[in-house]
Amino acid sequence: MAIGMFFGRGEAGGSEVKKSMELTKELQTKFTEKRKVCCCKVLTRGMDLGTKEHINHCIEITGELTEITAKILARELGYKEK
């Protein structure tokens, strides 16, 4: 969603969609390289929904995705990592 906010199209048929799709693919590739899959059902297999284990695991995963997304956005918007 964050990538789409910065690089998504403003109207139907807008040409900006190509950049958004490229960056989204990069996000998926980087996450999959680390976790081997990107499907929540697979990533949480064997966990009971809503348990502390499940919630902590989801927090970890969303944190990883947020970090990757932030790095992509920073790079594309011209910010340097510290």
Side-chain angles (χ1 to χ4, degrees):
M1 192 175 354
I3 290 171
M5 287 179 68
F6 285 96
F7 298 101
R9 57 185 163 204
E11 57 187 57
S15 61
E16 308 91 344
V17 72
K18 185 175 185 217
K19 180 71 169 180
S20 180
M21 295 297 278
E22 288 171 358
L23 297 175
T24 302
K25 176 65 175 163
E26 179 184 349
L27 171 62
Q28 180 184 4
T29 299
K30 288 183 178 200
F31 181 79
T32 304
E33 285 172 356
K34 181 171 184 171
R35 291 285 181 163
K36 308 300 180 220
V37 294
C38 63
C39 173
C40 285
K41 187 175 182 177
V42 176
L43 289 165
T44 59
R45 183 173 287 141
M47 295 181 187
D48 292 324
L49 183 66
T51 62
K52 188 164 181 63
E53 174 192 30
H54 178 259
I55 292 168
N56 287 339
H57 188 64
C58 289
I59 290 169
E60 181 181 328
I61 289 169
T62 55
E64 289 172 9
L65 283 164
T66 301
E67 181 180 8
I68 297 167
T69 302
K71 287 180 179 181
I72 290 170
L73 289 174
R75 181 193 71 219
E76 292 299 315
L77 295 171
Y79 294 97
K80 295 186 181 198
E81 272 190 67
K82 290 183 177 183

